[in-house]
Amino acid sequence: ATLLHFIRTATPRMDKTNIFLLPDGRIRAAWRLVMFIVLYLLTRAVLDWAVPRVRGNFSLFIFRGVMLRTLSTVLISTAMLRLLEGRRFRDIGLHAAAGWVRAIGAGLASGSGLILLLMAILTVTAGVRFEFAGEPAAAAARISFLQWTPLLLLAASSEELLFRGYPFQLAVAEIGR
């Protein structure tokens, strides 16, 4: 099977008189993706303007950015799912189903393992050096871990929502299951 054959058979033939709507009256997936991107960027800009900026605290600055990205993604995904498709937010796969704890644990463990492997390689090859100034190393490492772990988990969740949530579901629906 060639790529051209895949493209021709993966999507329904487009009616040349209506490039925006499918034969059943729904907006085509590509246009819904464009709408998602535009609405996400607008929502993010409005939230960025409305939520005060944090100065002088790098952790809070990063936290603010991650929270705005997460909130924008959830708001726009929920609105698009509800208004354009008549579905709920949980329909993109974010609900407690059988084995969800095991799946989250496996994802967190594999992601953490890859980060640890990367940091080990960088440390061994002198690509990075860890220094803790002013406090005993163990206490500083513990504080750093407790401070950054929740933020990194939130950032990873936000990334999953943004790139594997509604936009990914559109791609799956367009190509077919």
Side-chain angles (χ1 to χ4, degrees):
T2 66
L3 179 61
L4 186 58
H5 173 73
F6 174 75
I7 292 170
R8 286 183 182 153
T9 58
T11 59
R13 297 300 256 165
M14 185 182 310
D15 178 7
K16 291 182 179 29
T17 61
N18 196 343
I19 63 170
F20 297 105
L21 299 176
L22 292 167
D24 63 3
R26 292 182 301 126
I27 298 171
R28 292 185 182 277
W31 293 113
R32 285 182 279 161
L33 180 60
V34 169
M35 289 172 62
F36 177 86
I37 292 169
V38 169
L39 290 172
Y40 169 80
L41 292 173
L42 286 172
T43 303
R44 179 69 194 265
V46 168
L47 289 174
D48 191 47
W49 171 79
V51 176
R53 285 190 168 80
V54 179
R55 299 195 194 286
N57 187 327
F58 184 70
S59 299
L60 289 178
F61 173 77
I62 297 296
F63 180 76
R64 176 188 177 274
V66 170
M67 285 303 297
L68 293 181
R69 182 174 69 194
T70 304
L71 184 59
S72 299
T73 304
V74 169
L75 287 173
I76 298 307
S77 294
T78 301
M80 299 277 296
L81 282 164
R82 179 70 64 187
L83 299 174
L84 295 181
E85 302 186 26
R87 298 187 307 157
R88 298 177 308 205
F89 184 74
R90 68 175 286 185
D91 291 340
I92 62 173
L94 297 173
H95 60 280
W100 72 274
V101 173
R102 186 175 1 102
I104 287 177
L108 290 174
S110 61
S112 298
L114 288 172
I115 294 287
L116 286 173
L117 178 63
L118 173 67
M119 294 311 293
I121 291 170
L122 287 173
T123 302
V124 167
T125 61
V128 69
R129 191 175 75 213
F130 293 101
E131 290 182 10
F132 299 101
E135 294 186 44
R142 195 169 35 256
I143 291 168
S144 181
F145 177 79
L146 292 174
Q147 180 181 11
W148 287 97
T149 298
L151 180 63
L152 290 174
L153 290 175
L154 180 63
S157 300
S158 175
E159 181 182 325
E160 287 293 315
L161 280 173
L162 184 58
F163 296 108
R164 292 182 53 114
Y166 184 71
F168 181 73
Q169 295 298 319
L170 283 176
V172 168
E174 184 69 16
I175 293 173
R177 294 176 192 249

